[in-house]
Amino acid sequence: MRSDLIQLSYLAAAVLFILGLKGMSSPRTARRGIMWAGVGMLVAVLATFFSPHLSNYLLMFVAIAVGGGIAYVAARKVAMTDMPQMVAIYNGMGGGAAALIAANEFLHFGGSGLTMGASFAVLGAVGALIGAISFSGSMIAFAKLQGIIKKSFLFPGQNVINLVVLAGAVALGAFVILQHTGHLGGPVGPTLGLFFALALLYGVLMTLPIGGADMPVVISLYNALTGLAVGFEGYVLGNAALIVAGIVVGAAGTLLTQLMAKAMNRSIGNVLFAGFGAKGGQELTGAVEGSMKEMAPDDAAISMAFGQKVIIVPGYGMAVAQAQHKVWELAKLLQEKGVQVKFAIHPVAGRMPGHMNVLLAEAGVPYDLIYDLDEINGEFPTADAALVIGANDVVNPAARDDPGSPIYGMPILDVDKAQTVLVVKRGRGAGFAGIENKLFYADNTRMVYGDAQDVVGKLIAGVKKV
Amino acid sequence: MITGFAALYIFILAAFVGYEVIGRVPVILHTPLMSGSNFVHGIVIVGAMVALGAADTTPERIIGFLAVLLGTINAVGGYAVTERMLEMFKSSKDRDAAKGGGDA
């Protein structure tokens, strides 16, 4: 009876998770969605406390109190611009937990001298491998986005070394499986330890060469991997809630990863096995004609204030300068002057898809002023001005018409079709991907140099004077 | 225990659900959705509790304790971050309603 109730609670939790994720795929129901999922989690955790034959309650409470406290405070304190790395670190923790569950199960069976069923040993080991890779990989992703690790580590033969390490981990995993199904003897502990060490090492090696621009794809991939690891460990534990939630996230995360890679015109394999710019062959220097034309913020303000329609294109530069509040202030001022203002967001602007949306939402921009690439691209020819703030590669026309460019084929925002393009940029250098941008040399482009926060402040002052 | 083909069915059907459920998500919600699905795999905390609950040697207890600790961080942190992101999603209609009519 009691275990029936527990199973029923797990079923309810699984249903709530799915409804929650469904809710989160529409802006109107998104907040309700996360609450549904939250209720599901609460139900599942409470039910677990009543599981039969459970011990170590004190340890459990301490772990939950300490972990919950740390995570809650950190999540509340962190700045909105740092959200991507927080997702990375929390995701890594989940992967780590899945790997530890596997370690525990193997030790439990190994210690009692019992053998495991083949399917349990195999899925347990696969989940452990994936979970451990997701853990160490996510930590490196966090360190890179946080700026703790600044360089991309590239050396010849890297892919071969990585492959050898992965092969070693897989071989040891097979060894662990054979030991636990009774096909091989020998001490269990050292094999298991070495297996985890190699899996963790592979996560580190795999993530180190990947550049910051590709990090969103990688975090999304690790998110999907953690989901799979959780699902597999759920099978080992015979827990349906873990299986359903884990596999649902694994599938959804895989789809999300594909969508993101596609928006950048790269395959997942390309992101993982070739550091960006590592090819380095296509030099574009000298191919650009014309010169960059600078414009003072006051003049830029006037050209916007007297227009009918202004489209604002934010990029990572806006996030770095924390300029989103000022940008919204500017947009409101322009609206008061009778200018129609829209925000255009490229799928991969910033460090994660939707990163810009979150920042603009934080500043108070209503989401119905924010448009996707497909919705807005037809409107640029009718815009009097396009204001590009700290975006570069996502507005580079080379993606449209230069087959030699590394970003050729990536969908871009067609800002160059606006009557005037105002580009707010910190300096004259190339963008994150190190690619020269012809947009900056176009006849209808004016450059406004400076930190996004400063420049937008000056634009606000300029519009007020009109 | 869930074994054999019953388990295989659950795996496959859950994968389809996951694929379908986010199929139509707008770009605006990609980051919150990633964060939300990150929260959902925080269910690993339940597995960690079961593992710790069954631990009867010191190494198992240490590993189980760490598993519950990491699982809790995943679940609690994932929820708090997602909620913070989603708190901010309001349309101008909502805002005007909050202002009591408003000037649009």
Side-chain angles (χ1 to χ4, degrees):
Chain A
M1 183 60 203
R2 186 164 69 166
S3 74
D4 282 351
L5 278 177
I6 292 170
Q7 289 307 322
L8 215 55
S9 309
Y10 286 161
L11 182 65
V15 171
L16 284 167
F17 286 149
I18 292 167
L19 289 178
L21 282 174
K22 189 161 172 46
M24 275 186 265
S25 36
S26 158
R28 225 173 302 279
T29 53
R31 295 175 70 192
R32 223 178 309 151
I34 183 66
M35 266 153 71
W36 283 118
V39 171
M41 190 69 73
L42 220 54
V43 167
V45 170
L46 287 179
T48 307
F49 275 116
F50 295 101
S51 294
H53 321 299
L54 224 56
S55 55
N56 301 321
Y57 276 108
L58 183 63
L59 281 174
M60 221 177 274
F61 282 121
V62 172
I64 291 174
V66 173
I70 294 172
Y72 187 80
V73 171
R76 285 277 137 192
K77 271 171 77 177
V78 70
M80 270 296 159
T81 35
D82 294 341
M83 281 302 170
Q85 48 264 54
M86 292 314 279
V87 175
I89 206 163
Y90 293 140
N91 173 57
M93 295 294 160
L100 287 169
I101 290 174
N104 205 320
E105 289 303 301
F106 283 128
L107 282 181
H108 198 69
F109 277 93
S112 55
L114 294 168
T115 58
M116 295 169 88
S119 66
F120 294 99
V122 171
L123 283 190
V126 173
L129 179 69
I130 298 175
I133 291 172
S134 174
F135 172 75
S136 60
S138 295
M139 292 305 122
I140 299 295
F142 167 80
K144 285 201 149 196
L145 287 175
Q146 191 72 19
I148 298 169
I149 300 175
K150 292 206 174 74
K151 280 195 295 185
S152 291
F153 294 81
L154 292 163
F155 51 86
Q158 196 159 19
N159 284 339
V160 177
I161 292 172
N162 290 3
L163 204 64
V164 168
V165 173
L166 179 62
V170 170
L172 280 163
F175 209 81
V176 169
I177 293 167
L178 291 174
Q179 279 186 325
H180 282 86
T181 48
H183 292 88
L184 275 179
V188 178
T191 334
L192 201 59
L194 207 56
F195 164 60
F196 276 108
L198 279 188
L200 291 171
L201 178 64
Y202 180 70
V204 172
L205 288 176
M206 173 177 158
T207 320
L208 273 179
I210 298 169
D214 288 332
M215 229 22 117
V217 181
V218 176
I219 294 174
S220 175
L221 179 71
Y222 287 144
N223 188 40
L225 287 182
T226 302
L228 282 183
V230 171
F232 291 161
E233 297 315 324
Y235 178 77
V236 175
L237 294 169
N239 187 308
L242 257 72
I243 299 179
V244 173
I247 299 299
V248 164
V249 170
T254 306
L255 177 60
L256 196 57
T257 311
Q258 280 171 344
L259 291 176
M260 287 158 62
K262 210 165 127 194
M264 299 204 292
N265 193 34
R266 311 196 64 194
S267 70
I268 295 170
N270 199 259
V271 168
L272 293 180
F273 303 118
F276 202 52
K279 294 165 273 181
Q282 304 110 333
E283 288 290 326
L284 279 177
T285 40
V288 187
E289 288 165 28
S291 60
M292 294 201 208
K293 292 160 280 290
E294 198 173 340
M295 195 184 224
D298 270 359
D299 297 326
I302 289 167
S303 68
M304 286 191 291
F306 286 109
Q308 298 277 314
K309 189 201 253 179
V310 171
I311 300 175
I312 299 178
V313 180
Y316 191 61
M318 183 191 81
V320 171
Q322 296 275 1
Q324 61 269 27
H325 294 94
K326 285 253 168 76
V327 170
W328 175 224
E329 202 185 325
L330 174 68
K332 279 190 289 190
L333 265 175
L334 288 171
Q335 282 178 331
E336 281 166 26
K337 303 265 178 208
V339 182
Q340 191 190 5
V341 180
K342 292 184 172 182
F343 289 86
I345 297 194
H346 190 278
V348 295
R351 287 294 177 267
M352 267 196 175
H355 191 189
M356 289 300 123
N357 305 80
V358 169
L359 292 180
L360 291 179
E362 182 205 12
V365 180
Y367 65 73
D368 40 12
L369 288 186
I370 300 175
Y371 294 85
D372 284 354
L373 181 118
D374 297 335
E375 299 168 331
I376 197 96
N377 250 355
E379 291 197 36
F380 280 107
T382 66
D384 297 286
L387 178 65
V388 179
I389 305 170
N392 189 343
D393 297 325
V394 298
V395 294
N396 190 342
R400 232 176 22 222
D401 43 46
D402 179 2
S405 170
I407 58 168
Y408 180 69
M410 178 174 92
I412 58 155
L413 289 162
D414 297 327
V415 291
D416 54 328
K417 295 191 173 147
Q419 205 156 52
T420 312
V421 186
L422 302 166
V423 178
V424 178
K425 200 167 171 301
R426 197 144 47 157
R428 286 160 194 272
F432 198 76
I435 305 159
E436 199 57 76
N437 194 338
K438 267 189 238 173
L439 174 73
F440 303 156
Y441 300 87
D443 289 337
N444 59 337
T445 300
R446 296 291 176 273
M447 307 298 292
V448 189
Y449 291 112
D451 172 78
Q453 171 112 278
D454 285 352
V455 172
V456 177
K458 284 178 191 158
L459 289 176
I460 290 171
V463 173
K464 276 184 182 158
K465 277 190 267 175
V466 172
Chain B
M1 279 301 224
I2 311 145
T3 51
F5 277 103
L8 200 56
Y9 270 103
I10 296 180
F11 275 115
I12 302 293
L13 293 178
F16 273 106
V17 168
Y19 211 79
E20 285 301 317
V21 122
I22 74 145
R24 285 166 295 276
V25 67
V27 176
I28 184 171
L29 284 172
H30 274 182
T31 297
L33 185 74
M34 186 195 298
S35 180
S37 56
N38 176 37
F39 163 67
V40 168
H41 67 52
I43 189 70
V44 71
I45 183 184
V46 164
M49 286 167 70
V50 172
L52 174 60
D56 43 24
T57 63
T58 306
E60 281 177 48
R61 281 198 190 94
I62 293 171
I63 292 173
F65 177 84
L66 287 175
V68 176
L69 186 76
L70 296 191
T72 312
I73 293 177
N74 183 180
V76 174
Y79 186 86
V81 165
T82 312
E83 203 203 18
R84 254 185 85 185
M85 284 184 196
L86 291 176
E87 252 170 33
M88 306 171 313
F89 281 90
K90 291 185 174 117
S91 68
S92 28
K93 233 185 276 165
D94 294 346
R95 254 167 251 252
D96 293 343
K99 271 190 272 174
D103 43 20

